[in-house]
Amino acid sequence: MYFAQLYQMNLSARELDLLGSILVKIPAPSFVVFYNGDKKLPDISEQKLSDAFEPAGSVPGFEWTAKVINIGGTHNEGLQKKVQGVV
């Protein structure tokens, strides 16, 4: 839903309408998940949106993936240091 809101804001700012007959170019999506839980994960991994579908694999031919960056504990300390104090 957040993703759709971002696209809506982008289209509104550019005064474009998706419901017209002209192809509207939109920015390519890029998804990042910051993980700080207790489950053991590598520093960087990939997660497929289709893993959340019921039943699994029910929507063939399309796949969104997200880069999962583990920021828990001592993972990705360089990134943690860069964002300390940033609000």
Side-chain angles (χ1 to χ4, degrees), residues 64-75:
W64 279 1
T65 58
K67 180 187 286 189
V68 180
I69 301 175
N70 187 352
I71 56 170
T74 60
H75 293 276

Side-chain angles (χ1 to χ4, degrees), residues 3-60:
F3 173 71
Q5 289 174 343
L6 288 176
Y7 270 133
Q8 183 60 47
M9 288 187 307
N10 177 279
L11 293 171
S12 293
R14 295 167 39 204
E15 298 182 1
L16 297 173
D17 182 8
L18 286 180
L19 302 178
S21 60
I22 298 171
L23 176 64
V24 175
K25 298 283 188 164
I26 57 177
S30 177
F31 301 97
V32 178
V33 174
F34 293 101
Y35 177 79
N36 67 348
D38 297 329
K39 183 179 172 184
K40 287 192 172 197
L41 291 179
D43 283 355
I44 298 176
S45 59
E46 184 176 274
Q47 187 174 32
K48 296 179 180 180
L49 179 62
S50 62
D51 291 344
F53 294 156
E54 292 270 348
S58 62
V59 183

